[in-house]
Amino acid sequence: MKGFTLIEMLIVIAVVGILCLIGIPSFKRLTETIQADLAISQLARAIQLTRSEAIKTGSIATLCPSSDGFRCKINWSNGYMVFIDRAANGQVDSDDQIIHYFKPIKGKGTITWKNFRQLDYLQMIPLGNTNTQNGTFLYCSADKKITRALVISLSGRVRMHDDTKHSC
């Protein structure tokens, strides 16, 4: 009779089990790294959109955290939106125009905004500069082992890097 013996089958199961034990943590780390890169890339696109809308419309454009796309909140991890801020107050008023709402990236990471003026939002003026708000957006994975940062200069330029100076 042809087939596998019980010992051969147990050896195959043991080898597959060992490979899974080795591979699953690496796969989890890979997915967390991809989520971090996606989150920080989306945020960089939002900043660039804010800057380009300010230049295009000749008005102050604001990027603020928002969980619903209509009102500014405090938590950046729940999403954020770009709008033309006619009153330059960092809040959506009746005469403001909402440009785009960015939904949060799935995952359990957090995004924080630390800036010179300690405001909860980022504003760009029609020249493409920030409204005197240089600072850093920091993404931290749930286990706080993966960090990414976006550094925004006063000129409105954004640079990305793996963050090693800031702790989550």
Side-chain angles (χ1 to χ4, degrees), residues 4 7-25:
F4 297 109
I7 293 175
E8 290 171 335
M9 188 63 84
L10 288 175
I11 290 172
V12 169
I13 291 172
V15 168
V16 169
I18 290 170
L19 289 175
C20 285
L21 286 174
I22 292 171
I24 288 174

Side-chain angles (χ1 to χ4, degrees), residues 134-155:
N134 57 318
T136 303
F137 281 99
L138 184 65
Y139 174 87
C140 296
S141 64
D143 63 2
K144 304 200 185 312
K145 292 182 180 178
I146 299 173
T147 58
R148 300 284 186 274
L150 281 177
V151 178
I152 294 93
S153 67
L154 288 173
S155 66

Side-chain angles (χ1 to χ4, degrees), residues 51-141:
R51 186 172 192 241
S52 67
E53 286 296 322
I55 293 168
K56 182 174 78 174
T57 61
S59 302
I60 290 180
T62 299
L63 172 66
C64 72
S66 175
S67 57
D68 59 5
F70 298 107
R71 291 179 301 277
C72 292
K73 302 286 184 180
I74 295 175
N75 190 350
W76 286 91
S77 303
N78 293 335
Y80 33 90
M81 68 177 175
V82 176
F83 65 97
I84 301 302
D85 194 354
R86 302 203 194 290
N89 61 1
Q91 295 296 322
V92 180
D93 299 320
S94 60
D95 61 338
D96 292 340
Q97 177 188 2
I98 297 173
I99 303 299
H100 191 72
Y101 170 64
F102 292 87
K103 293 181 181 178
I105 298 294
K106 292 182 181 179
K108 296 181 179 157
T110 59
I111 298 173
T112 55
W113 167 232
K114 298 175 183 177
N115 62 87
F116 173 71
R117 292 177 52 201
Q118 299 180 342
L119 297 172
D120 294 331
Y121 52 85
L122 172 66
Q123 287 183 327
M124 297 285 187
I125 62 173
L127 294 174
N129 301 339
T130 66
N131 194 6
T132 63
Q133 289 180 271
N134 57 318
T136 303
F137 281 99
L138 184 65
Y139 174 87
C140 296
S141 64

